[in-house]
Amino acid sequence: MEKHELVVIGGGPAGLAAATTAANAGIECLLIDEQANPGGQIYRAVGTIPEQRATLLGPDYNYGRKLVDQFNQSSASYLPSTTLWNLNSQLEIGILRDGKASLISADRIIIATGAMERPVPFPGWTLPGVMSAGAGQILLKSSGLVPAQGVVLAGVGPLLLLLAWQYLHAGVKIHAILDMSPAGNIWRALPHLPGALLAHHYILKGLRYQLQLKLAGVKFFNGVTEFHAVGGDALEAVEFTHRGGRQRIDSQLLLSHFGVIPDSHLSRCAGCDHSWDANQLCWRPVADKWDNSSVDGIAIVGDGSGIGGAVAARHAGRIAGFEAARALGYISEQERNEAARNDQRWMRDDLRVRPFLEARFHPPAELLSAPPDETVVCRCEEINAGAIRTAIHAGHKDANQVKFLTRCGMGPCQGRQCDNAVSQIVARELGDKKMISGGYRIRPPIRPLTIEQLAALNEGADPK
C-alpha cells in the first residue's frame, strides 16, 4: 500500500495552507482534492477564471490566487479530481480516481473538507427551479452562468447578501431577498456586538452590500415565515407570510440558503468524536487547541472543525501544518509554538465576529425540525417527514433506527442531505434539546462505489 508522511484532504483555504506549510517544513505531503483545481468552494476556479469575472467576485475571492500560487511553489504533491470513499482510524484512505478504487495510508492526516450548505426541507424544495445559493455561486465562479430570467433569494445567512451583490454587478434581475431570520435574532445578537466590532470589517461589508442592493431597488422582506415554493412540473412562484399578510412572487428560479455546517461525514467515518454545537446547530469534531481529533494522527481544520470562514481557515491550516511538523519530528514543540503564534492571534481576532453572526443568522427552530408531513426530507429515497414521524412514534428513538426502518439516508448521497434534518426531527419529537441521540452512524463507502470498482481495488495512486 502506498504510504505518505502526511496526507491533506481538501484543497480549500485550510487544506492549501496546511499542505504548503507542512511541505515548506520538509514533510513529504500529498494533497487530495475532489475538485479539478485547487481552491475549494470559496476559491473555486480561482486559478483559471477570466479576469473580468474574478473582479466581479470581489477582492476576498481573489486572495485565493495567493494561496494557490504558494501551494504550487511548494514541494507538496497534488491529486485532483479524486473522491474519498473511506477513512479509518488506522489512517488508511480509500480513494476513487478515474473510475478506479485504491487504498493509500499516511503517518498523519489533516482533514480539511470544509463546510456544506445546511440542507433544509421546506414545501416545494424538490421542484425543478429550486436550487441552493451555493449551487448558484458555483455556476457563476466556474462557468460564468447567471440567471437569465431573474431570481428570488431566500433563507438565512450572509451568503445571500454576497451572492445578491455579485448578481447585481453581473446584471441579474433580483426579484426579492427573503430573510427568514426570526425578528428576535437582533436582540439575541446584540450582547455579542461589542466583541464583533473588533472584527468590524465583516459588519461594514455586509452593510455596504445591503445599501447598494437597496439603492438598486432590490426588495427586502424580513421576518418571512410559512415559506413555500409552488409550481406544477417546475417552480412557478414563491409564497410566504410577511407582517401577517400572504405574499406571492412569480419566479422561475429560487436560490435558498440556510447557513453552512461542517462536512463531517469523513471524520465521523474515521471514528473521531463529535459533539452537538447548539449555536451553529450542527455536529462538530471534538479537538484540542492544535486541532488534533480524538483519533491519534488525525487533525481536522478549517470549517470542517466548526464554521469560522475562509480567513480563519487559512490561519487554522497553517497552524495544523506546524503541528504536523512537530508531530512528525521536523520541529520541536517550542519551534511550533513560536511559528504558530501570529496565526493563532490573527485567527482569534478574526473569530470575534462569529458569536454575533451565529446569533443574528440563527435559523428558526420550526424551519429546521418541523417540516409538514408531506414534505420530502430524504430526496434519494423520497421519504417524507410524515413517514419519519410515524417511525419515531412507533418506537424508533434515534436517527439510525429511523434510517433502518424507512431507508432515509441509504441513497447515493449516503445521508449527507438528510442527516441533520432527520436528527432534528427526531430530537423535536422526543423532546431531546441536547441532540444526545446523535446523527447517522457513518460507514464506508461514504460516496458511491460499485462492486466492480471494489473488486478491482488497487493499492496506491499516482499523484501529478
Side-chain angles (χ1 to χ4, degrees):
M1 183 185 303
E2 178 182 303
K3 188 170 185 179
H4 298 268
E5 274 195 302
L6 173 66
V7 169
V8 178
I9 302 169
L16 290 173
T20 303
T21 302
N24 290 343
I27 299 174
E28 185 276 315
C29 173
L30 171 67
L31 189 149
I32 300 176
D33 191 3
E34 194 170 35
Q35 306 301 324
N37 297 288
Q41 166 61 13
I42 189 72
Y43 302 131
R44 181 180 286 266
V46 73
T48 57
I49 195 170
E51 193 61 38
Q52 183 181 9
R53 200 188 313 157
T55 302
L56 182 150
L57 292 169
D60 291 345
Y61 172 80
N62 283 296
Y63 186 89
R65 289 176 170 174
K66 182 178 179 180
L67 273 184
V68 172
D69 288 343
Q70 290 172 342
F71 171 73
N72 289 335
Q73 291 165 12
S74 77
S75 61
S77 302
Y78 183 52
L79 202 61
S81 305
T82 304
T83 302
L84 269 68
W85 53 269
N86 189 24
L87 172 63
N88 62 30
S89 58
Q90 286 74 51
L91 311 193
E92 295 171 342
I93 307 166
I95 64 175
L96 184 65
R97 187 163 190 258
D98 296 331
K100 296 181 180 178
S102 305
L103 285 175
I104 63 174
S105 66
D107 294 325
R108 187 172 177 82
I109 293 172
I110 296 175
I111 299 176
T113 46
M116 57 181 282
E117 287 190 283
R118 185 196 315 276
V120 173
F122 58 85
W125 77 307
T126 57
L127 279 172
V130 180
M131 298 167 52
S132 71
Q137 199 177 47
I138 287 173
L139 291 173
L140 173 60
K141 290 177 179 176
S142 58
S143 304
L145 294 177
V146 296
Q149 305 299 323
V151 61
V152 171
L153 297 166
V156 178
L159 178 62
L160 291 173
L161 276 180
L162 172 61
L163 183 58
W165 181 82
Q166 291 169 339
Y167 275 166
L168 179 70
H169 287 80
V172 175
K173 171 66 176 177
I174 302 170
H175 300 310
I177 299 176
L178 313 183
D179 182 1
M180 298 186 201
S181 304
N185 278 10
I186 296 294
W187 303 109
R188 186 200 294 257
L190 206 53
H192 303 293
L193 184 58
L197 290 176
L198 296 173
H200 58 277
H201 54 285
Y202 288 110
I203 297 175
L204 292 177
K205 186 164 55 180
L207 292 173
R208 177 165 59 87
Y209 290 162
Q210 197 163 349
L211 177 63
Q212 291 185 12
L213 289 163
K214 287 184 175 178
L215 289 175
V218 176
K219 294 180 180 177
F220 281 77
F221 294 86
N222 297 319
V224 165
T225 59
E226 300 177 274
F227 176 76
H228 295 178
V230 297
D233 295 331
L235 178 73
E236 296 172 3
V238 294
E239 295 180 351
F240 56 95
T241 298
H242 180 247
R243 295 178 178 173
R246 199 68 183 154
Q247 302 274 350
R248 176 187 171 100
I249 299 175
D250 293 335
S251 180
Q252 296 178 18
L253 180 63
L254 164 66
L255 298 182
S256 64
H257 177 74
F258 303 94
V260 293
I261 58 177
D263 188 350
S264 62
H265 272 211
L266 190 62
S267 53
R268 289 159 65 186
C269 181
C272 302
D273 291 340
H274 289 68
S275 62
W276 180 253
D277 186 322
N279 293 322
Q280 297 188 354
L281 296 173
C282 60
W283 302 103
R284 59 187 296 179
V286 176
D288 64 16
K289 70 175 186 177
W290 296 98
D291 284 327
N292 294 304
S293 74
S294 60
V295 174
D296 189 33
I298 296 180
I300 308 168
V301 299
D303 281 352
S305 184
I307 305 305
V311 175
R314 295 200 300 259
H315 296 307
R318 279 195 283 269
I319 293 168
F322 293 129
E323 168 63 359
R326 181 210 62 80
L328 294 170
Y330 283 81
I331 60 176
S332 67
E333 184 173 310
Q334 183 179 355
E335 288 171 325
R336 176 204 62 184
N337 295 346
E338 291 175 357
R341 184 168 293 122
N342 283 338
D343 280 297
Q344 288 177 319
R345 176 166 56 84
W346 293 330
M347 184 173 70
R348 190 167 53 246
D349 290 345
D350 192 76
L351 290 174
R352 292 185 192 279
V353 76
R354 295 308 308 180
F356 176 83
L357 294 178
E358 289 166 9
R360 170 63 184 85
F361 296 111
H362 199 83
E366 293 284 330
L367 184 70
L368 301 183
S369 60
D373 279 350
E374 62 275 16
T375 300
V376 171
V377 175
C378 173
R379 303 180 69 145
C380 299
E381 297 293 328
E382 298 184 340
I383 309 298
N384 63 30
I388 293 169
R389 291 193 179 96
T390 299
I392 296 168
H393 294 298
H396 300 85
K397 302 301 184 184
D398 64 39
N400 287 293
Q401 292 183 26
V402 172
K403 176 181 175 181
F404 298 150
L405 183 69
T406 65
R407 288 194 57 81
C408 62
M410 291 188 180
C413 87
Q414 289 292 286
R416 282 167 53 85
Q417 292 296 311
C418 67
D419 180 7
N420 194 280
V422 170
S423 298
Q424 299 222 34
I425 293 172
V426 171
R428 184 185 183 89
E429 294 299 314
L430 300 180
D432 173 14
K433 296 182 179 178
K434 295 183 179 178
M435 301 288 287
I436 55 176
S437 60
Y440 290 158
R441 191 176 301 111
I442 307 302
R443 292 171 173 162
I446 60 172
R447 294 296 176 89
L449 187 71
T450 66
I451 296 295
E452 182 182 11
Q453 289 167 333
L454 194 59
L457 189 66
N458 294 318
E459 294 184 350
D462 297 323
K464 287 183 177 178

